[in-house]
Amino acid sequence: MKIAVWDTYVTRKDGKVMHFDILVDENLKDEQIIFDHGKTYLKSVNQEGQELTSKECTFCHIDKAPEATEQQILKNGFAIIEIENCN
């Protein structure tokens, strides 16, 4: 499966900037759905209510998904790669 990688930077409630990637099927083009996936992730790490728009989240590139990531996307519609200040 080829995936679209959306590079995302969100200011946490404590002022630190979280950096994570939202991974979705390459054919998903609806930005609102992608932003909603990001908001679902933010809620799961107690950062709900933080701004997540095209200012914070931009398309980066298309890539080949590893098997585990592909399975997560097929199950949940998206996957997240935590890069910085996500915990």
Side-chain angles (χ1 to χ4, degrees):
M1 165 189 280
K2 289 202 175 191
I3 56 168
V5 178
W6 289 73
D7 199 30
T8 309
Y9 294 86
V10 173
T11 301
R12 297 182 346 177
K13 293 176 183 178
D14 65 5
K16 292 182 181 178
V17 176
M18 298 174 69
H19 178 199
F20 59 94
D21 288 341
I22 303 170
L23 312 176
V24 296
D25 184 287
E26 71 173 328
N27 296 311
L28 179 59
K29 306 294 185 202
D30 186 329
E31 288 184 352
Q32 191 56 56
I33 292 172
I34 295 160
F35 300 157
D36 287 346
H37 290 324
K39 290 175 183 177
T40 297
Y41 165 71
L42 289 172
K43 185 175 183 180
S44 77
V45 294
N46 298 314
Q47 293 297 322
E48 66 275 359
Q50 302 308 95
E51 188 75 19
L52 203 159
T53 65
S54 60
K55 179 181 174 197
E56 293 80 23
C57 182
T58 58
F59 172 75
C60 186
H61 65 277
I62 300 289
D63 208 341
K64 173 82 171 102
E67 181 65 28
T69 301
E70 182 176 336
Q71 291 306 314
Q72 190 174 10
I73 292 170
L74 290 171
K75 179 180 177 186
N76 301 319
F78 71 101
I80 298 290
I81 296 177
E82 296 176 327
I83 300 170
E84 186 177 20
N85 292 321
C86 294
N87 299 316

